[in-house]
Amino acid sequence: TVNRLSGQPVEVDQDIADLLVSARGIWSRTDGLVNIAQGKLFALWKTARDTGVLPTDEAIREAMTHGNMEDLTWKKAQGGCVVTLKDPEMALDVGAVAKGWAAEAAADAADAAGIAANSGVADPAINLVFQTEFHDTRFNAYSVLRPIHMAR
């Protein structure tokens, strides 16, 4: 809905708001290398993968002009927040962060439910979250970019 109504305020629930806040933090910590606001650019490459035809340099440059994370704004609302993509041609693609965020949420839910450390692993696609005996969050999440069986 946010992409379909790009340029207009859209109310989203708290889980989506939390995901977007997390994505903004990741964008900041990676100096913009992980950017969910580049949905238009990602769509070009998905089309290229599906059709076997690479996008033109011009199409890539044009798509990149619509991926400024600063154009993603939100304000708190009852039960969630109101999100606005200030650039009406912007599109979000949360694929780079959503699975990891969901895995972290699952680990947090397990902690909250009192599930013992060292008793579970969540594996949404390529992200793994281990429940460990450590309470320092730096040790709770591991991102696997190339699993061993895929590296060969």
PDB file of all heavy atoms in Angstrom, residues 6-7 10 24 28-29 36 41 44-45 48 58 67 75 80 83 93 98-101 104 141 147:
ATOM      1  N   SER A   6       2.420   6.013  -3.113  1.00  0.00           N
ATOM      2  CA  SER A   6       3.628   6.825  -3.009  1.00  0.00           C
ATOM      3  C   SER A   6       3.301   8.301  -3.220  1.00  0.00           C
ATOM      4  O   SER A   6       2.568   8.661  -4.130  1.00  0.00           O
ATOM      5  CB  SER A   6       4.641   6.360  -4.053  1.00  0.00           C
ATOM      6  OG  SER A   6       5.884   6.969  -3.847  1.00  0.00           O
ATOM      7  N   GLY A   7       3.828   9.134  -2.334  1.00  0.00           N
ATOM      8  CA  GLY A   7       3.559  10.570  -2.384  1.00  0.00           C
ATOM      9  C   GLY A   7       2.437  10.977  -1.451  1.00  0.00           C
ATOM     10  O   GLY A   7       2.236  12.167  -1.213  1.00  0.00           O
ATOM     11  N   VAL A  10       0.294   7.310   4.435  1.00  0.00           N
ATOM     12  CA  VAL A  10      -0.342   6.002   4.577  1.00  0.00           C
ATOM     13  C   VAL A  10      -0.152   5.542   6.019  1.00  0.00           C
ATOM     14  O   VAL A  10       0.979   5.512   6.513  1.00  0.00           O
ATOM     15  CB  VAL A  10       0.299   4.963   3.629  1.00  0.00           C
ATOM     16  CG1 VAL A  10      -0.326   3.596   3.821  1.00  0.00           C
ATOM     17  CG2 VAL A  10       0.196   5.412   2.183  1.00  0.00           C
ATOM     18  N   ARG A  24      15.894   2.200   8.491  1.00  0.00           N
ATOM     19  CA  ARG A  24      16.543   3.517   8.484  1.00  0.00           C
ATOM     20  C   ARG A  24      17.853   3.452   9.259  1.00  0.00           C
ATOM     21  O   ARG A  24      18.866   4.004   8.847  1.00  0.00           O
ATOM     22  CB  ARG A  24      15.595   4.557   9.057  1.00  0.00           C
ATOM     23  CG  ARG A  24      16.150   5.966   9.249  1.00  0.00           C
ATOM     24  CD  ARG A  24      16.610   6.697   8.014  1.00  0.00           C
ATOM     25  NE  ARG A  24      15.693   7.372   7.169  1.00  0.00           N
ATOM     26  CZ  ARG A  24      14.952   8.435   7.428  1.00  0.00           C
ATOM     27  NH1 ARG A  24      14.885   8.931   8.612  1.00  0.00           N
ATOM     28  NH2 ARG A  24      14.217   8.981   6.503  1.00  0.00           N
ATOM     29  N   SER A  28      21.634   4.038   7.817  1.00  0.00           N
ATOM     30  CA  SER A  28      22.565   4.982   8.433  1.00  0.00           C
ATOM     31  C   SER A  28      23.889   4.305   8.790  1.00  0.00           C
ATOM     32  O   SER A  28      24.967   4.829   8.494  1.00  0.00           O
ATOM     33  CB  SER A  28      21.924   5.598   9.674  1.00  0.00           C
ATOM     34  OG  SER A  28      22.792   6.504  10.285  1.00  0.00           O
ATOM     35  N   ARG A  29      23.807   3.126   9.408  1.00  0.00           N
ATOM     36  CA  ARG A  29      25.023   2.422   9.843  1.00  0.00           C
ATOM     37  C   ARG A  29      25.861   1.922   8.671  1.00  0.00           C
ATOM     38  O   ARG A  29      27.059   1.701   8.827  1.00  0.00           O
ATOM     39  CB  ARG A  29      24.667   1.262  10.766  1.00  0.00           C
ATOM     40  CG  ARG A  29      24.214   1.715  12.147  1.00  0.00           C
ATOM     41  CD  ARG A  29      24.102   0.555  13.127  1.00  0.00           C
ATOM     42  NE  ARG A  29      23.259  -0.537  12.679  1.00  0.00           N
ATOM     43  CZ  ARG A  29      21.937  -0.578  12.776  1.00  0.00           C
ATOM     44  NH1 ARG A  29      21.279   0.441  13.290  1.00  0.00           N
ATOM     45  NH2 ARG A  29      21.263  -1.634  12.352  1.00  0.00           N
ATOM     46  N   ILE A  36      16.437   0.545   1.505  1.00  0.00           N
ATOM     47  CA  ILE A  36      15.136   0.015   1.085  1.00  0.00           C
ATOM     48  C   ILE A  36      14.388   0.974   0.176  1.00  0.00           C
ATOM     49  O   ILE A  36      13.414   0.592  -0.463  1.00  0.00           O
ATOM     50  CB  ILE A  36      14.253  -0.358   2.296  1.00  0.00           C
ATOM     51  CG1 ILE A  36      13.870   0.886   3.092  1.00  0.00           C
ATOM     52  CG2 ILE A  36      14.925  -1.420   3.149  1.00  0.00           C
ATOM     53  CD1 ILE A  36      12.748   0.661   4.089  1.00  0.00           C
ATOM     54  N   LEU A  41      14.971   0.871  -8.433  1.00  0.00           N
ATOM     55  CA  LEU A  41      16.192   0.289  -8.994  1.00  0.00           C
ATOM     56  C   LEU A  41      16.154  -1.235  -8.891  1.00  0.00           C
ATOM     57  O   LEU A  41      16.480  -1.950  -9.845  1.00  0.00           O
ATOM     58  CB  LEU A  41      17.422   0.838  -8.269  1.00  0.00           C
ATOM     59  CG  LEU A  41      18.772   0.285  -8.708  1.00  0.00           C
ATOM     60  CD1 LEU A  41      19.063   0.663 -10.151  1.00  0.00           C
ATOM     61  CD2 LEU A  41      19.859   0.790  -7.779  1.00  0.00           C
ATOM     62  N   LEU A  44      14.124  -2.804 -11.590  1.00  0.00           N
ATOM     63  CA  LEU A  44      14.824  -2.902 -12.876  1.00  0.00           C
ATOM     64  C   LEU A  44      15.619  -4.197 -12.962  1.00  0.00           C
ATOM     65  O   LEU A  44      15.602  -4.890 -13.985  1.00  0.00           O
ATOM     66  CB  LEU A  44      15.788  -1.730 -13.064  1.00  0.00           C
ATOM     67  CG  LEU A  44      15.238  -0.384 -13.484  1.00  0.00           C
ATOM     68  CD1 LEU A  44      16.378   0.629 -13.580  1.00  0.00           C
ATOM     69  CD2 LEU A  44      14.518  -0.497 -14.813  1.00  0.00           C
ATOM     70  N   TRP A  45      16.335  -4.510 -11.880  1.00  0.00           N
ATOM     71  CA  TRP A  45      17.181  -5.699 -11.888  1.00  0.00           C
ATOM     72  C   TRP A  45      16.346  -6.972 -11.814  1.00  0.00           C
ATOM     73  O   TRP A  45      16.724  -7.997 -12.382  1.00  0.00           O
ATOM     74  CB  TRP A  45      18.224  -5.629 -10.780  1.00  0.00           C
ATOM     75  CG  TRP A  45      19.252  -4.604 -11.127  1.00  0.00           C
ATOM     76  CD1 TRP A  45      19.425  -3.372 -10.563  1.00  0.00           C
ATOM     77  CD2 TRP A  45      20.215  -4.685 -12.179  1.00  0.00           C
ATOM     78  NE1 TRP A  45      20.433  -2.700 -11.189  1.00  0.00           N
ATOM     79  CE2 TRP A  45      20.946  -3.483 -12.181  1.00  0.00           C
ATOM     80  CE3 TRP A  45      20.531  -5.661 -13.111  1.00  0.00           C
ATOM     81  CZ2 TRP A  45      21.971  -3.240 -13.091  1.00  0.00           C
ATOM     82  CZ3 TRP A  45      21.556  -5.413 -14.013  1.00  0.00           C
ATOM     83  CH2 TRP A  45      22.266  -4.214 -13.995  1.00  0.00           C
ATOM     84  N   ALA A  48      15.341  -7.523 -15.272  1.00  0.00           N
ATOM     85  CA  ALA A  48      16.492  -8.030 -16.032  1.00  0.00           C
ATOM     86  C   ALA A  48      16.700  -9.519 -15.761  1.00  0.00           C
ATOM     87  O   ALA A  48      16.969 -10.290 -16.689  1.00  0.00           O
ATOM     88  CB  ALA A  48      17.746  -7.243 -15.675  1.00  0.00           C
ATOM     89  N   GLU A  58      20.940   4.731 -18.604  1.00  0.00           N
ATOM     90  CA  GLU A  58      19.997   5.830 -18.385  1.00  0.00           C
ATOM     91  C   GLU A  58      18.869   5.409 -17.438  1.00  0.00           C
ATOM     92  O   GLU A  58      18.502   6.154 -16.521  1.00  0.00           O
ATOM     93  CB  GLU A  58      19.417   6.305 -19.709  1.00  0.00           C
ATOM     94  CG  GLU A  58      18.460   7.463 -19.581  1.00  0.00           C
ATOM     95  CD  GLU A  58      17.889   7.893 -20.922  1.00  0.00           C
ATOM     96  OE1 GLU A  58      18.603   7.811 -21.937  1.00  0.00           O
ATOM     97  OE2 GLU A  58      16.723   8.305 -20.928  1.00  0.00           O
ATOM     98  N   GLY A  67      15.500   7.135  -5.017  1.00  0.00           N
ATOM     99  CA  GLY A  67      15.801   6.248  -3.896  1.00  0.00           C
ATOM    100  C   GLY A  67      16.445   6.933  -2.712  1.00  0.00           C
ATOM    101  O   GLY A  67      17.253   6.330  -2.014  1.00  0.00           O
ATOM    102  N   LYS A  75       5.475   9.686  11.025  1.00  0.00           N
ATOM    103  CA  LYS A  75       5.156  10.298  12.314  1.00  0.00           C
ATOM    104  C   LYS A  75       4.261   9.331  13.062  1.00  0.00           C
ATOM    105  O   LYS A  75       3.485   8.576  12.453  1.00  0.00           O
ATOM    106  CB  LYS A  75       4.500  11.665  12.142  1.00  0.00           C
ATOM    107  CG  LYS A  75       3.175  11.653  11.437  1.00  0.00           C
ATOM    108  CD  LYS A  75       2.608  13.051  11.299  1.00  0.00           C
ATOM    109  CE  LYS A  75       1.274  12.976  10.560  1.00  0.00           C
ATOM    110  NZ  LYS A  75       0.686  14.250  10.360  1.00  0.00           N
ATOM    111  N   GLY A  80       0.355   2.780  15.454  1.00  0.00           N
ATOM    112  CA  GLY A  80       1.395   2.620  14.443  1.00  0.00           C
ATOM    113  C   GLY A  80       1.985   3.945  14.052  1.00  0.00           C
ATOM    114  O   GLY A  80       2.356   4.746  14.896  1.00  0.00           O
ATOM    115  N   VAL A  83       3.208   6.888   7.274  1.00  0.00           N
ATOM    116  CA  VAL A  83       4.403   6.874   6.435  1.00  0.00           C
ATOM    117  C   VAL A  83       4.101   7.649   5.166  1.00  0.00           C
ATOM    118  O   VAL A  83       3.017   7.521   4.594  1.00  0.00           O
ATOM    119  CB  VAL A  83       4.789   5.422   6.071  1.00  0.00           C
ATOM    120  CG1 VAL A  83       5.935   5.389   5.090  1.00  0.00           C
ATOM    121  CG2 VAL A  83       5.110   4.631   7.316  1.00  0.00           C
ATOM    122  N   ASP A  93      11.543  -1.449  -1.115  1.00  0.00           N
ATOM    123  CA  ASP A  93      11.756  -2.883  -1.250  1.00  0.00           C
ATOM    124  C   ASP A  93      12.499  -3.307   0.013  1.00  0.00           C
ATOM    125  O   ASP A  93      13.679  -3.022   0.173  1.00  0.00           O
ATOM    126  CB  ASP A  93      12.579  -3.194  -2.493  1.00  0.00           C
ATOM    127  CG  ASP A  93      12.748  -4.693  -2.714  1.00  0.00           C
ATOM    128  OD1 ASP A  93      12.909  -5.430  -1.714  1.00  0.00           O
ATOM    129  OD2 ASP A  93      12.732  -5.120  -3.873  1.00  0.00           O
ATOM    130  N   ALA A  98      13.940  -7.282   5.787  1.00  0.00           N
ATOM    131  CA  ALA A  98      12.732  -7.824   6.422  1.00  0.00           C
ATOM    132  C   ALA A  98      12.957  -9.204   7.049  1.00  0.00           C
ATOM    133  O   ALA A  98      12.477  -9.456   8.159  1.00  0.00           O
ATOM    134  CB  ALA A  98      11.582  -7.885   5.423  1.00  0.00           C
ATOM    135  N   LYS A  99      13.672 -10.086   6.373  1.00  0.00           N
ATOM    136  CA  LYS A  99      13.873 -11.422   6.932  1.00  0.00           C
ATOM    137  C   LYS A  99      14.699 -11.368   8.211  1.00  0.00           C
ATOM    138  O   LYS A  99      14.386 -12.047   9.192  1.00  0.00           O
ATOM    139  CB  LYS A  99      14.531 -12.329   5.895  1.00  0.00           C
ATOM    140  CG  LYS A  99      13.636 -12.677   4.747  1.00  0.00           C
ATOM    141  CD  LYS A  99      14.352 -13.601   3.769  1.00  0.00           C
ATOM    142  CE  LYS A  99      13.747 -13.472   2.408  1.00  0.00           C
ATOM    143  NZ  LYS A  99      14.658 -12.960   1.417  1.00  0.00           N
ATOM    144  N   GLY A 100      15.741 -10.572   8.195  1.00  0.00           N
ATOM    145  CA  GLY A 100      16.556 -10.423   9.407  1.00  0.00           C
ATOM    146  C   GLY A 100      15.766  -9.792  10.539  1.00  0.00           C
ATOM    147  O   GLY A 100      15.864 -10.206  11.697  1.00  0.00           O
ATOM    148  N   TRP A 101      14.954  -8.785  10.200  1.00  0.00           N
ATOM    149  CA  TRP A 101      14.114  -8.141  11.214  1.00  0.00           C
ATOM    150  C   TRP A 101      13.128  -9.147  11.790  1.00  0.00           C
ATOM    151  O   TRP A 101      12.927  -9.218  13.005  1.00  0.00           O
ATOM    152  CB  TRP A 101      13.386  -6.948  10.600  1.00  0.00           C
ATOM    153  CG  TRP A 101      12.498  -6.241  11.560  1.00  0.00           C
ATOM    154  CD1 TRP A 101      12.858  -5.261  12.442  1.00  0.00           C
ATOM    155  CD2 TRP A 101      11.103  -6.470  11.763  1.00  0.00           C
ATOM    156  NE1 TRP A 101      11.768  -4.872  13.177  1.00  0.00           N
ATOM    157  CE2 TRP A 101      10.672  -5.606  12.776  1.00  0.00           C
ATOM    158  CE3 TRP A 101      10.180  -7.333  11.174  1.00  0.00           C
ATOM    159  CZ2 TRP A 101       9.368  -5.567  13.213  1.00  0.00           C
ATOM    160  CZ3 TRP A 101       8.873  -7.303  11.613  1.00  0.00           C
ATOM    161  CH2 TRP A 101       8.479  -6.420  12.627  1.00  0.00           C
ATOM    162  N   GLU A 104      14.912 -11.542  14.106  1.00  0.00           N
ATOM    163  CA  GLU A 104      15.173 -10.884  15.390  1.00  0.00           C
ATOM    164  C   GLU A 104      13.899 -10.791  16.225  1.00  0.00           C
ATOM    165  O   GLU A 104      13.915 -11.011  17.433  1.00  0.00           O
ATOM    166  CB  GLU A 104      15.753  -9.484  15.170  1.00  0.00           C
ATOM    167  CG  GLU A 104      17.194  -9.483  14.743  1.00  0.00           C
ATOM    168  CD  GLU A 104      18.127 -10.000  15.824  1.00  0.00           C
ATOM    169  OE1 GLU A 104      17.909  -9.710  17.016  1.00  0.00           O
ATOM    170  OE2 GLU A 104      19.079 -10.715  15.466  1.00  0.00           O
ATOM    171  N   ALA A 141      22.716 -12.397  16.688  1.00  0.00           N
ATOM    172  CA  ALA A 141      22.310 -12.461  15.282  1.00  0.00           C
ATOM    173  C   ALA A 141      23.536 -12.624  14.397  1.00  0.00           C
ATOM    174  O   ALA A 141      24.541 -11.975  14.582  1.00  0.00           O
ATOM    175  CB  ALA A 141      21.554 -11.200  14.885  1.00  0.00           C
ATOM    176  N   PRO A 147      26.081 -19.478   2.464  1.00  0.00           N
ATOM    177  CA  PRO A 147      26.169 -20.738   3.203  1.00  0.00           C
ATOM    178  C   PRO A 147      27.164 -21.682   2.516  1.00  0.00           C
ATOM    179  O   PRO A 147      27.358 -21.620   1.312  1.00  0.00           O
ATOM    180  CB  PRO A 147      24.749 -21.295   3.138  1.00  0.00           C
ATOM    181  CG  PRO A 147      23.896 -20.099   2.886  1.00  0.00           C
ATOM    182  CD  PRO A 147      24.730 -19.155   2.057  1.00  0.00           C
TER     183      PRO A 147
END
